[in-house]
Amino acid sequence: MRRNRSAHETRYGSGLQSGVDLSDFGDSNSKPKYQSPNKSTFYQTFFQSRFINTYGLDLRSIALFRLFIGWLLLCDLWERFDWGSGITNHYTDDGVLPVVVAIESLKASAFSFHFTSGTFLFQFLLFLASFLAAFFLFIGYHTKKSAFISWLLLTSLHNRNILLNSTGDDLLRIMLFWSLLLPLGQIYSIDSVINLHLRSCYKQSKNENICESNKYSILKSSNIPKNNCYQSIGIGSVAVLLQICCFYYVSSRLKSGEDWQKTNSALYYILSLDRYTTGIGYLILRSSLILQFLTRLILIVETYTPYLLLIPIVPNIQRAIFCCSAFFLHFFLGLCMDLGVDTWVPLLCVILVLPPIFWDLIFFKIINNFGRSDFVIVCQQSAKLCIGTILAFKTFFLLPQTQIILVCDQIDLENFLPDNKVDIFDENNDCNDNNINNNSSNLNLNLNLNLNLN
């Protein structure tokens, strides 16, 4: 890999093929011509951007949502499994609710694969399938299928023993259902790496004559959307936003008693439940003023902030206000009460609507740290496994701007690359520090590794 683009452009600029654009190695000196703006186009773009930013979802937020919901599914399954005793006590015929009794207690329209058999082995196999589906969803492998199987098995598990269900379980199942309409595996997933590798192999098959002229090509495979627009809008995004608003609206409407509306003592009664209250909850119980203030604040957040998700005025600021207030609400309740996985399920609503400005700030800090945006990775064209590894590294280590140069096998990488500018990777895991130059302001660290995996 190397950090100095201008050196490579100066040394190898004359040897590029006609299909390779010099602008890939640096900013072009040509300046675009000025064009007077069109008012109709301006207004159309303005309102279109407002609509997309209001009713669309950021792909990076969707990717984090996939990771979080996969982690919640794994934690919920492990909590229900309880080293095997949970299966015996709650899901087999030897437990508190046999299959025959469970079928009679459910509606005729309800279904459950767990009703097929009440033996421990059969229930264990269903739990194992749920674990695998949740894990594949977490890493983003066959994401759509994994999400559908996870939702199907989770619904079956909830119908098997309705005595164990809670509001958090219902919200988890509903959010998992609506996620089937979202592009869960488009970025930062195993599926995205596989798609990048397939596209790279296709591009290489079109440039098989590269070695005939002893030249190289640039692999431009990337999962970055065009124009760096990460917004995804569709039926799924609108349905999820409406579901989140309905969740908070119904929750606020249920808080219609005097404890919430007049005396502001609801939080006091909630934290008085010794079974769920934590040490922080007991500390807050000592102050009546704090309890009254937090009770009123919870009601305000659940009543008014969801409307910020549907009003297209300043979408980024509105979403930032909603996310901060909702995150504070759920994180505070999670510190005061120990409800297991149900404590963190509502955070799915916060993660999914994180505004693009949040990710732009984080990615700007990460990508520009240690000169990440200036790296160029060079490898030989026939190293298929190496190319796939590089694409995975590029995806999961947040190097979206990194360019990959494919070189003919007959070319020596050490002679091909500019001196003291490039880091070369070798299959033998040998790491030899080479040419460490420290000139008051510059420190060039060159690792001598070779990319030939043949």
Side-chain angles (χ1 to χ4, degrees), residues 82-103:
D82 194 17
W83 297 99
S85 61
I87 297 180
T88 304
N89 297 332
H90 301 135
Y91 300 102
T92 63
D93 290 336
D94 298 331
V96 296
L97 191 66
V99 172
V100 178
V101 179
I103 294 176

Side-chain angles (χ1 to χ4, degrees), residues 159-179:
N159 288 338
R160 172 61 182 88
N161 193 340
I162 59 176
L163 300 177
L164 300 178
N165 297 340
S166 63
T167 306
D169 295 323
D170 296 336
L171 180 61
L172 179 62
R173 186 175 64 254
I174 292 173
M175 296 299 293
L176 185 58
F177 170 77
W178 289 119
S179 68

Side-chain angles (χ1 to χ4, degrees), residues 120-227:
F120 178 85
L121 179 60
F122 184 79
Q123 300 296 326
F124 176 79
L125 293 177
L126 288 178
F127 264 79
L128 181 61
S130 301
F131 267 109
L132 293 176
F135 178 73
F136 287 155
L137 176 62
F138 178 80
I139 64 177
Y141 182 68
H142 289 290
T143 313
K144 288 292 185 181
K145 297 178 182 178
S146 301
F148 177 74
I149 295 175
S150 296
W151 170 77
L152 200 62
L153 293 176
L154 183 65
T155 304
S156 174
L157 184 64
H158 290 172
N159 288 338
R160 172 61 182 88
N161 193 340
I162 59 176
L163 300 177
L164 300 178
N165 297 340
S166 63
T167 306
D169 295 323
D170 296 336
L171 180 61
L172 179 62
R173 186 175 64 254
I174 292 173
M175 296 299 293
L176 185 58
F177 170 77
W178 289 119
S179 68
L180 299 176
L181 303 179
L182 299 177
L184 296 176
Q186 185 166 345
I187 61 175
Y188 304 119
S189 63
I190 301 296
D191 288 341
S192 64
V193 175
I194 294 176
N195 292 333
L196 288 178
H197 198 188
L198 292 177
R199 281 189 290 176
S200 66
C201 294
Y202 174 74
K203 291 180 180 180
Q204 291 179 55
S205 64
K206 296 176 64 176
N207 297 326
E208 292 180 351
N209 58 347
I210 181 176
C211 292
E212 297 178 0
S213 56
N214 292 331
K215 296 181 181 180
Y216 59 91
S217 64
I218 299 177
L219 181 60
K220 296 183 179 180
S221 295
S222 177
N223 54 13
I224 300 179
K226 295 181 179 180
N227 301 324

